[in-house]
Amino acid sequence: MVIVMAPDATADNIDALVELVTSAGGEAYVTRGVSRTIIGLVGDVERFQDLGLRAKPGVGDVLRISAPYKLVSRENHDSRTVVGVRGVPIGGENMTVIAGPCAVETPEQTLAAAHMAKAAGAALLRGGAYKPRTSPYAFQGLGEQGLRILSDVREETGMPIVTEVVDAADVDLVASYADMLQIGTRNMQNFALLQAAGDAGKPVLLKRGMSATIEEWLMAAEYIAQRGNLDIVLCERGIRTFEKATRNTLDISAVPVAQNLTHLPVIVDPSHSGGKRDLVLPLSRAAIAIGADGIIVDVHPSPETALCDGPQALVEEDLSVLRDVAGTLATLSGRTLTPAPARELADV
Amino acid sequence: MVIVMAPDATADNIDALVELVTSAGGEAYVTRGVSRTIIGLVGDVERFQDLGLRAKPGVGDVLRISAPYKLVSRENHDSRTVVGVRGVPIGGENMTVIAGPCAVETPEQTLAAAHMAKAAGAALLRGGAYKPRTSPYAFQGLGEQGLRILSDVREETGMPIVTEVVDAADVDLVASYADMLQIGTRNMQNFALLQAAGDAGKPVLLKRGMSATIEEWLMAAEYIAQRGNLDIVLCERGIRTFEKATRNTLDISAVPVAQNLTHLPVIVDPSHSGGKRDLVLPLSRAAIAIGADGIIVDVHPSPETALCDGPQALVEEDLSVLRDVAGTLATLSGRTLTPAPARELADV
Amino acid sequence: MVIVMAPDATADNIDALVELVTSAGGEAYVTRGVSRTIIGLVGDVERFQDLGLRAKPGVGDVLRISAPYKLVSRENHDSRTVVGVRGVPIGGENMTVIAGPCAVETPEQTLAAAHMAKAAGAALLRGGAYKPRTSPYAFQGLGEQGLRILSDVREETGMPIVTEVVDAADVDLVASYADMLQIGTRNMQNFALLQAAGDAGKPVLLKRGMSATIEEWLMAAEYIAQRGNLDIVLCERGIRTFEKATRNTLDISAVPVAQNLTHLPVIVDPSHSGGKRDLVLPLSRAAIAIGADGIIVDVHPSPETALCDGPQALVEEDLSVLRDVAGTLATLSGRTLTPAPARELADV
Amino acid sequence: MVIVMAPDATADNIDALVELVTSAGGEAYVTRGVSRTIIGLVGDVERFQDLGLRAKPGVGDVLRISAPYKLVSRENHDSRTVVGVRGVPIGGENMTVIAGPCAVETPEQTLAAAHMAKAAGAALLRGGAYKPRTSPYAFQGLGEQGLRILSDVREETGMPIVTEVVDAADVDLVASYADMLQIGTRNMQNFALLQAAGDAGKPVLLKRGMSATIEEWLMAAEYIAQRGNLDIVLCERGIRTFEKATRNTLDISAVPVAQNLTHLPVIVDPSHSGGKRDLVLPLSRAAIAIGADGIIVDVHPSPETALCDGPQALVEEDLSVLRDVAGTLATLSGRTLTPAPARELADV
């Protein structure tokens, strides 16, 4: 930690800070520059955080040097984490495709979408039973009925299911059906939900907040990790910018940047970032080529009647293209496309 | 609603859309332009929303013309809403100051801050018992103990209390103490929380999400309103931009823009937007001069030891300046500074 | 300047940096923290900049502590600059209104707009003869003919003129007519233009780039100042954000922030930021109340036929309101509304 | 074009607009909706633009449906453009790598960098002789001396040269040496420069403004095209967002989006977007995989002593990796890596 003194800071201001840091068990090293003085602090950063340094007289700025997250940081964690979702791995040498409908609508639609997902090379089935919608007048999902449909389709296809939870109060119920809990972009800083998900004993897919910095995203993961759950997969899904040609701006650089900062797997959602079907395959290629640990895409048997995000769903003719692209590009980057489980589910 | 056809749309595409809209009870008017055809839709927009128009063949874009919010819209609501918080009005001809500590720490600190708030011209006391923090290692608030402290200070000072709730599960508890529920920027699209707050029977202070458009903000208010609660006050608190000199960029234009779109009062938080004490008074002046219905500011008896956001808290010497500024500028714009209630609380 | 070493930096890396800095005439102070080592540098920062520190082995980051601008910095310049535009002051105890048409179209329209400007309390006349337009098919301004019109109107009304220059090659010509050169938002980092304007011997109005940080804005001013011209007025005109309800987001906080960093006057353009007539008066109130040294607004005798930005121009009925507001709010903040010069022009 | 009337528009307002549009030679079709009326316009959009519709009484909004650019639009241009740079193609079935030093410093450094560029698979040499720098105190380039060095290195290596021009007044001089003129991000809306480049008879590499929408970028290209020069290559180089982990946020989606809107080739600059060497290879993979027509990367024989952007330059060990990646990924997407010209220069 570094304290940058204001230009008009006095010697007394500096002495008081050194005294304060020292009395808190730290060490303080003063460097007097031509126009500014800086104080380098050595010791327990969390303790320094509580000293209110930024509000002390003569302080211009306080810079934190070390990362504020610990459990998810790569610094103290040599190997990359491989998260297992009912036996299906995400991370490591694997390239895992997750696919399914944006929202669970009917048993038939969900089953058809699951078959499409498999055809697209997916090992995991996604589908929303609880949908956070900007408008209270939009379809909000089927709730537990949707979870039962997903469960039935898992039985039928063998694909473990990933589904979103939007309220801490629903976590136990959703976790009783799901193989992986998804936390959506609007809830990335819903801390009660993060903590409940951390307690639920299931892997968590944590989408990046649409205006969250990468550091805030990792701090959100830290909330889950702090509850003893390190089975977290991060998902870049586009950030909010001034550009209007796409729904969100996919921050593709976030993949290598985050992989460099954390040991957790990082996947990409090309469907919600672009918001248009014809961008999904190109963005998937970019995501796999840059080294993402997986992708999560929308598929729908009839996008024209979809209750949610139809315009971005892949259709039949896209599926084998995606599977081939995923396989080839994964191999090129030394990874293997994770196969869908056989029908008999791993007994986890 | 207007459908803009893609340049390569066929006559059949257009006919199919007209057919679809008509069969849904609407009317469709086709205008063939030089390079594009557009179809104007007349009828129930919500019903059109469910038709999946954007995913139909030949559709380039679908533009919504009318506002997607209704209950909070000014269009069908002639008079501006005045929200009463245990007898203290926000909105209309009033200019209401809310002040208090970012976080409730001790009874002494809270009481001292309440006296500071009064000295600053505040009629309502703010203070957080539940704090959403980016880091799981930061002070998270005193919880119910904090609510009890607030309640005691209300008893002592007569000031109604505004306090944040961060989880739908806590709404009833918080509402049993608070006079107004605050929903913070990170929870603006926590829909379960919005709905629970809508059911709680207390006025709600809804902060704008730090990357929410004004339309999304009004849609969030609509979630509360839909539960039968129109006692909502909107609070602009800065948005996320590329500029790093301030914590957030106060979107001062949002005040007149929102006041033009909704009948709800709109206030400003100059403390969290600027993030620095020396910006609070200038931003307060701007907020009152532009016509905000109120401001909400941080005060703290000793910012240097504050557990939360000390650097932005006003101190003793700022208080009378703020009170004078608020009074004078309010008068100038034809408003009256709302006085603090006398010690005997209104029996509401 | 502070070098933050990477977590895996070696002792040799650190020694090499200390050696390098020392051999460049500086001093280096090493602070070894728990997870990171930092090196505080004392000496000539510009020289350190040339050492390529960021690319050396073991370097994680290099933080500049002192401001990169000098001539425009407030640090070495005690009094605030008052810029004189043919005798009309901007800055200090003055609150100066600049008004006029977005574009000069005809002598009649320009003269009518000048009278409107005076009625609105303006002391200076603005009007564009060279218009930078997003589309090559839009009206690009009258060029020198427009300058002649402005000059005639100055003769008639006594108001000094502020007009934009968009190409370094035009600076001498424009300066031969204008009393103040305006550099627009798209040209804030057109360095050849900044330098030419710095050489022209006329005051410069420098608009903030629509995506420029405040620091970059001051660096652009430094380009002008470096040519020996400190008669620079900064103009905040809105920045680009995700919000679509306004043309740009007026960064009102930039006024006090910039005034704290530089000795130059800072004014606000409420017309181009909001982009709508009904936002101009509210934003003007906010700008004056926060302490801006002036405002620059669009007026037009018949906005419906304006060749440029008609929707944001003030009309007849707004003028006296603006003048009254400007006068009253200026007084409130201890300033005086700068009067328009009498018809006889100051002989400067 | 569609006019959306305000909710309180009168029948007279609508009639007046229909009359106005009709008298301008257009046709107007009125659709009266439940809450709003819209008017669809058919005819010459440029003419409608001049009518000042947005400022007329009763008008709420005016939506442009057709693209405002024409010459660069894909709508009226069936085949994709292949731009030839002294015989080296960009676009079509080619994947072209451009590489070289950020700035030309010495003949030796430039020649060494050219050899590195070839080793990295580059067919074209980039290098800056005129550098736009945020700070007036930073190295501004060698000017004409730098151009001579580039010319000598072209003689030696056979690689055509791409170099930046920052001022309209320099275009002829730069064009007399360069094979392709680069217009940088800060100058994307320097319209005088765009026009001069359009007149110069050399291909132009147009970088996207760091806060320009894709539409504005295409409008900037239209300025060049309007001068009769359609040899334009667009270059995505990252946009400005709130994320601080990277210098800019590479908008990878802009590649397919722009390729869908224009017939011009679109390449990517992975060096300036990420700003860090270790992001360049991953971003290059993403760019080629998504279908970019090329990439432009920084290489430097000794980044530690580079006068400009050393931290992002590729070094020796990266070169063959890049060449292999470019070749393999290009093949995968049905393209061929453009070879460097043999030493004898094509006589163009």
Side-chain angles (χ1 to χ4, degrees):
Chain A
M1 207 169 232
V2 177
I3 303 175
V4 180
M5 301 304 293
D8 57 358
T10 64
D12 281 357
N13 294 157
I14 294 167
D15 291 348
L17 285 161
V18 171
E19 167 75 22
L20 177 69
V21 168
T22 313
S23 69
E27 295 163 57
Y29 296 91
V30 178
T31 305
R32 278 168 231 275
V34 176
S35 64
R36 299 281 188 115
T37 293
I38 64 167
I39 310 179
L41 307 193
V42 178
D44 179 352
V45 178
E46 301 313 322
R47 192 122 183 242
F48 297 156
Q49 297 273 41
D50 292 342
L51 297 177
L53 296 170
R54 210 177 279 268
K56 299 290 179 211
V59 171
D61 206 354
V62 177
L63 310 172
R64 182 171 181 140
I65 302 300
S66 56
Y69 39 83
K70 293 164 205 323
L71 302 172
V72 307
S73 168
R74 201 173 166 182
E75 274 188 30
N76 317 302
H77 208 280
D78 276 350
S79 60
R80 303 204 62 79
T81 291
V82 178
V83 174
V85 182
R86 199 184 265 256
V88 171
I90 306 179
E93 304 301 302
N94 310 285
M95 220 302 297
T96 308
V97 176
I98 308 172
C102 182
V104 171
E105 298 165 18
T106 65
E108 297 70 28
Q109 166 255 10
T110 307
L111 184 59
H115 285 303
M116 293 177 73
K118 271 201 176 177
L124 297 171
L125 176 65
R126 60 150 293 164
Y130 295 84
K131 302 298 306 173
R133 302 300 293 275
T134 301
S135 167
Y137 305 110
F139 175 62
Q140 311 266 328
L142 297 180
E144 187 169 4
Q145 185 195 341
L147 296 175
R148 278 193 297 264
I149 293 175
L150 283 170
S151 173
D152 291 347
V153 171
R154 173 177 54 197
E155 198 67 29
E156 177 95 8
T157 61
M159 298 178 85
I161 54 184
V162 183
T163 196
E164 183 163 357
V165 56
V166 299
D167 187 0
D170 297 332
V171 166
D172 287 345
L173 176 70
V174 177
S176 73
Y177 289 93
D179 300 304
M180 181 175 221
L181 300 174
Q182 178 179 320
I183 292 182
T185 189
R186 287 171 186 78
N187 280 313
M188 194 204 81
Q189 291 195 320
N190 181 338
F191 301 116
L193 179 59
L194 295 173
Q195 289 171 329
D199 287 335
K202 288 284 169 76
V204 177
L205 181 66
L206 179 64
K207 290 204 163 184
R208 180 178 179 188
M210 70 182 80
S211 70
T213 62
I214 293 173
E215 183 172 303
E216 290 167 339
W217 190 20
L218 296 180
M219 288 308 287
E222 188 85 2
Y223 262 94
I224 300 169
Q226 229 205 351
R227 296 296 173 123
N229 184 353
L230 273 169
D231 285 334
I232 306 165
V233 174
L234 300 168
C235 179
E236 160 64 30
R237 48 76 71 205
I239 58 174
R240 183 156 273 189
T241 71
F242 61 83
E243 177 58 64
K244 294 172 243 179
T246 42
R247 186 163 158 177
N248 292 107
T249 298
L250 183 68
D251 182 6
I252 195 77
S253 319
V255 176
V257 169
Q259 285 174 336
N260 197 34
L261 295 172
T262 178
H263 54 87
L264 302 174
V266 182
I267 72 169
V268 167
D269 178 342
S271 303
H272 284 78
S273 46
K276 285 179 193 154
R277 181 190 146 211
D278 61 1
L279 289 176
V280 176
L281 287 174
L283 291 176
S284 297
R285 291 197 307 266
I288 304 173
I290 208 171
D293 295 288
I295 56 173
I296 177 167
V297 298
D298 282 15
V299 296
H300 198 286
S302 63
E304 304 176 19
T305 64
L307 294 181
C308 167
D309 286 343
Q312 74 197 31
L314 292 184
V315 297
E316 207 59 43
E317 65 199 81
D318 304 316
L319 305 178
S320 61
V321 182
L322 178 57
R323 192 193 50 221
D324 292 351
V325 159
T328 314
L329 284 176
T331 308
L332 221 89
S333 56
R335 293 177 187 252
T336 308
L337 181 63
T338 307
R343 198 166 165 185
E344 285 72 42
L345 287 175
D347 199 9
V348 182
Chain B
M1 206 169 231
V2 177
I3 303 176
V4 180
M5 301 304 293
D8 57 357
T10 65
D12 282 357
N13 294 157
I14 295 167
D15 291 348
L17 285 161
V18 171
E19 167 76 22
L20 177 69
V21 168
T22 312
S23 69
E27 294 164 58
Y29 296 91
V30 178
T31 304
R32 279 168 231 274
V34 177
S35 63
R36 301 280 188 116
T37 293
I38 64 166
I39 310 179
L41 307 193
V42 177
D44 179 353
V45 179
E46 302 312 322
R47 192 125 183 239
F48 298 156
Q49 296 273 42
D50 292 343
L51 296 177
L53 295 170
R54 210 177 278 269
K56 299 290 179 211
V59 171
D61 205 354
V62 178
L63 309 172
R64 181 169 182 142
I65 302 301
S66 57
Y69 39 85
K70 294 165 206 323
L71 303 172
V72 307
S73 168
R74 201 173 165 181
E75 274 187 29
N76 316 304
H77 208 279
D78 276 350
S79 60
R80 303 204 61 79
T81 291
V82 178
V83 174
V85 182
R86 197 184 267 255
V88 172
I90 306 179
E93 305 301 303
N94 310 285
M95 221 302 298
T96 308
V97 177
I98 308 173
C102 183
V104 171
E105 299 166 18
T106 64
E108 295 72 27
Q109 166 255 10
T110 307
L111 183 59
H115 285 303
M116 293 177 73
K118 272 202 175 177
L124 298 170
L125 175 66
R126 59 151 294 164
Y130 296 85
K131 302 299 305 173
R133 302 301 294 274
T134 301
S135 166
Y137 306 111
F139 175 62
Q140 310 266 327
L142 297 180
E144 188 171 3
Q145 185 195 341
L147 296 175
R148 276 193 298 263
I149 293 175
L150 283 170
S151 173
D152 291 348
V153 170
R154 174 178 52 198
E155 198 67 29
E156 177 96 5
T157 62
M159 299 177 85
I161 55 184
V162 183
T163 196
E164 183 164 357
V165 56
V166 299
D167 186 1
D170 298 332
V171 165
D172 286 344
L173 176 69
V174 176
S176 72
Y177 289 93
D179 300 304
M180 182 177 221
L181 300 174
Q182 177 179 320
I183 293 182
T185 189
R186 288 172 185 78
N187 281 313
M188 195 205 80
Q189 291 194 320
N190 181 338
F191 301 116
L193 178 60
L194 295 173
Q195 289 170 328
D199 287 335
K202 287 284 168 77
V204 178
L205 180 68
L206 179 64
K207 291 202 161 184
R208 180 178 179 187
M210 70 182 80
S211 70
T213 62
I214 293 172
E215 182 171 305
E216 289 167 341
W217 189 21
L218 296 180
M219 289 308 287
E222 188 84 2
Y223 263 94
I224 300 168
Q226 229 206 351
R227 296 296 174 122
N229 183 355
L230 274 169
D231 285 335
I232 306 165
V233 174
L234 300 168
C235 178
E236 159 64 30
R237 47 78 68 205
I239 58 174
R240 184 157 272 190
T241 71
F242 61 82
E243 176 57 66
K244 294 172 245 179
T246 42
R247 185 162 158 180
N248 293 107
T249 298
L250 183 69
D251 182 5
I252 195 77
S253 320
V255 176
V257 169
Q259 284 173 337
N260 196 36
L261 295 171
T262 178
H263 54 89
L264 302 174
V266 182
I267 72 169
V268 167
D269 178 344
S271 302
H272 285 79
S273 47
K276 285 177 193 155
R277 183 191 146 210
D278 61 1
L279 289 175
V280 175
L281 287 173
L283 291 175
S284 297
R285 291 198 306 265
I288 304 172
I290 208 171
D293 295 288
I295 55 173
I296 177 167
V297 298
D298 284 14
V299 295
H300 198 285
S302 63
E304 304 176 21
T305 63
L307 294 180
C308 167
D309 287 343
Q312 73 197 29
L314 292 185
V315 296
E316 208 58 44
E317 64 199 81
D318 303 317
L319 305 178
S320 61
V321 182
L322 178 57
R323 192 193 50 220
D324 291 351
V325 158
T328 314
L329 285 175
T331 308
L332 221 88
S333 55
R335 293 176 186 254
T336 309
L337 181 62
T338 308
R343 198 168 166 182
E344 284 71 45
L345 286 175
D347 200 10
V348 183
Chain C
M1 206 170 232
V2 177
I3 303 175
V4 180
M5 302 303 294
D8 56 358
T10 64
D12 281 358
N13 294 157
I14 295 167
D15 290 349
L17 286 161
V18 171
E19 167 76 23
L20 177 69
V21 168
T22 312
S23 69
E27 294 163 58
Y29 296 90
V30 178
T31 305
R32 279 168 231 276
V34 177
S35 63
R36 299 282 188 115
T37 293
I38 64 167
I39 310 179
L41 307 193
V42 177
D44 179 353
V45 178
E46 300 314 321
R47 190 120 186 244
F48 297 156
Q49 297 274 41
D50 291 343
L51 297 177
L53 295 170
R54 210 177 278 269
K56 299 291 179 209
V59 172
D61 206 354
V62 177
L63 309 172
R64 182 170 181 140
I65 302 300
S66 56
Y69 39 85
K70 295 167 206 322
L71 302 171
V72 306
S73 169
R74 201 172 165 183
E75 275 186 30
N76 318 303
H77 208 279
D78 276 349
S79 61
R80 304 204 61 78
T81 291
V82 178
V83 174
V85 182
R86 199 184 266 256
V88 171
I90 306 179
E93 304 301 303
N94 309 286
M95 220 302 297
T96 308
V97 177
I98 308 172
C102 182
V104 172
E105 298 166 18
T106 65
E108 297 71 28
Q109 166 255 8
T110 307
L111 183 59
H115 285 301
M116 292 177 74
K118 272 201 176 178
L124 298 170
L125 176 66
R126 60 151 294 164
Y130 296 84
K131 301 298 306 173
R133 301 300 294 273
T134 301
S135 166
Y137 307 110
F139 175 63
Q140 311 266 327
L142 297 179
E144 188 170 3
Q145 185 195 341
L147 296 174
R148 277 193 299 263
I149 293 175
L150 283 169
S151 173
D152 291 347
V153 171
R154 173 178 53 198
E155 199 67 30
E156 177 95 6
T157 63
M159 299 178 84
I161 54 183
V162 183
T163 196
E164 183 164 358
V165 57
V166 298
D167 187 359
D170 298 332
V171 166
D172 286 345
L173 176 69
V174 176
S176 73
Y177 289 93
D179 300 304
M180 182 177 221
L181 300 173
Q182 177 179 321
I183 294 182
T185 188
R186 289 172 186 76
N187 281 313
M188 194 204 81
Q189 290 195 319
N190 181 338
F191 301 116
L193 179 59
L194 295 174
Q195 289 171 329
D199 287 336
K202 287 283 169 78
V204 178
L205 180 66
L206 178 65
K207 290 203 163 185
R208 179 178 178 188
M210 70 183 79
S211 69
T213 61
I214 294 172
E215 182 172 304
E216 290 167 340
W217 190 21
L218 296 180
M219 289 307 287
E222 187 85 3
Y223 262 94
I224 300 168
Q226 229 206 352
R227 296 297 173 121
N229 184 353
L230 273 169
D231 285 334
I232 307 165
V233 174
L234 300 167
C235 178
E236 158 65 30
R237 47 77 68 207
I239 58 174
R240 184 155 272 190
T241 71
F242 61 83
E243 177 57 65
K244 294 171 244 179
T246 42
R247 185 163 160 180
N248 293 108
T249 298
L250 182 68
D251 182 5
I252 195 77
S253 319
V255 176
V257 169
Q259 285 174 337
N260 196 35
L261 295 172
T262 178
H263 54 88
L264 301 173
V266 182
I267 72 169
V268 167
D269 179 342
S271 302
H272 285 79
S273 47
K276 284 177 194 156
R277 182 193 147 210
D278 61 1
L279 289 176
V280 176
L281 286 174
L283 290 176
S284 297
R285 292 198 305 265
I288 305 172
I290 209 171
D293 295 289
I295 56 172
I296 177 167
V297 298
D298 282 16
V299 297
H300 198 284
S302 63
E304 304 176 20
T305 64
L307 294 180
C308 166
D309 287 342
Q312 73 197 29
L314 292 185
V315 298
E316 207 59 43
E317 65 199 80
D318 304 316
L319 305 178
S320 61
V321 181
L322 178 57
R323 192 193 49 222
D324 292 350
V325 158
T328 314
L329 284 175
T331 309
L332 221 87
S333 55
R335 293 176 186 254
T336 309
L337 182 62
T338 308
R343 198 167 166 183
E344 286 71 45
L345 286 175
D347 200 9
V348 183
Chain D
M1 205 169 233
V2 177
I3 303 175
V4 180
M5 303 302 294
D8 57 358
T10 65
D12 281 358
N13 294 157
I14 295 166
D15 290 349
L17 285 162
V18 171
E19 167 76 22
L20 177 69
V21 168
T22 313
S23 70
E27 294 163 58
Y29 297 90
V30 178
T31 305
R32 279 168 230 274
V34 178
S35 64
R36 301 279 188 116
T37 293
I38 64 167
I39 310 178
L41 307 193
V42 178
D44 179 354
V45 179
E46 301 313 322
R47 191 122 185 243
F48 297 155
Q49 297 273 41
D50 292 343
L51 297 177
L53 295 170
R54 209 177 279 268
K56 299 290 179 214
V59 171
D61 206 355
V62 178
L63 309 172
R64 182 170 182 141
I65 302 301
S66 57
Y69 39 85
K70 296 164 204 321
L71 303 171
V72 307
S73 168
R74 201 172 166 182
E75 274 188 29
N76 317 304
H77 208 280
D78 277 350
S79 60
R80 303 203 61 78
T81 291
V82 178
V83 174
V85 183
R86 198 185 268 256
V88 171
I90 305 180
E93 305 301 303
N94 309 286
M95 221 302 297
T96 308
V97 177
I98 308 172
C102 182
V104 171
E105 298 166 18
T106 66
E108 297 71 28
Q109 167 254 10
T110 307
L111 183 59
H115 286 302
M116 292 177 74
K118 271 202 176 176
L124 298 170
L125 176 66
R126 60 151 292 166
Y130 296 84
K131 303 297 305 173
R133 302 300 294 273
T134 302
S135 167
Y137 305 111
F139 175 63
Q140 311 267 329
L142 297 179
E144 188 170 3
Q145 184 195 343
L147 296 173
R148 278 194 297 263
I149 293 175
L150 283 170
S151 174
D152 291 346
V153 170
R154 172 176 56 197
E155 199 65 31
E156 177 96 6
T157 62
M159 299 177 84
I161 55 183
V162 183
T163 196
E164 184 164 357
V165 55
V166 299
D167 187 0
D170 298 331
V171 165
D172 287 344
L173 176 69
V174 176
S176 73
Y177 289 94
D179 300 304
M180 181 176 222
L181 300 174
Q182 177 179 319
I183 293 182
T185 189
R186 286 171 188 77
N187 281 312
M188 194 204 81
Q189 291 195 319
N190 181 337
F191 301 116
L193 178 59
L194 295 173
Q195 289 170 330
D199 287 335
K202 287 284 168 77
V204 178
L205 179 68
L206 179 64
K207 291 204 161 184
R208 179 178 179 187
M210 68 182 81
S211 69
T213 62
I214 293 171
E215 183 172 304
E216 289 167 340
W217 190 20
L218 296 180
M219 289 308 287
E222 189 84 3
Y223 262 94
I224 299 168
Q226 228 205 353
R227 296 296 174 121
N229 184 354
L230 272 168
D231 286 334
I232 306 165
V233 174
L234 300 168
C235 179
E236 159 64 31
R237 47 77 68 205
I239 59 174
R240 184 156 272 188
T241 71
F242 61 83
E243 177 57 64
K244 295 171 242 179
T246 43
R247 187 162 158 177
N248 293 107
T249 297
L250 182 69
D251 182 5
I252 195 77
S253 319
V255 176
V257 169
Q259 285 174 337
N260 196 36
L261 295 171
T262 178
H263 54 87
L264 302 174
V266 182
I267 72 169
V268 167
D269 178 343
S271 302
H272 285 78
S273 47
K276 286 180 193 155
R277 182 191 147 211
D278 61 1
L279 289 176
V280 177
L281 286 174
L283 290 176
S284 297
R285 292 197 306 266
I288 304 172
I290 208 170
D293 294 290
I295 55 173
I296 178 168
V297 298
D298 282 16
V299 297
H300 198 286
S302 63
E304 304 175 19
T305 64
L307 294 181
C308 166
D309 287 344
Q312 75 196 30
L314 292 184
V315 297
E316 207 59 43
E317 64 198 83
D318 303 317
L319 306 178
S320 60
V321 182
L322 178 58
R323 192 192 50 222
D324 292 351
V325 159
T328 314
L329 284 176
T331 309
L332 220 87
S333 55
R335 292 176 186 255
T336 309
L337 182 61
T338 308
R343 196 166 166 185
E344 284 72 45
L345 285 176
D347 199 8
V348 182

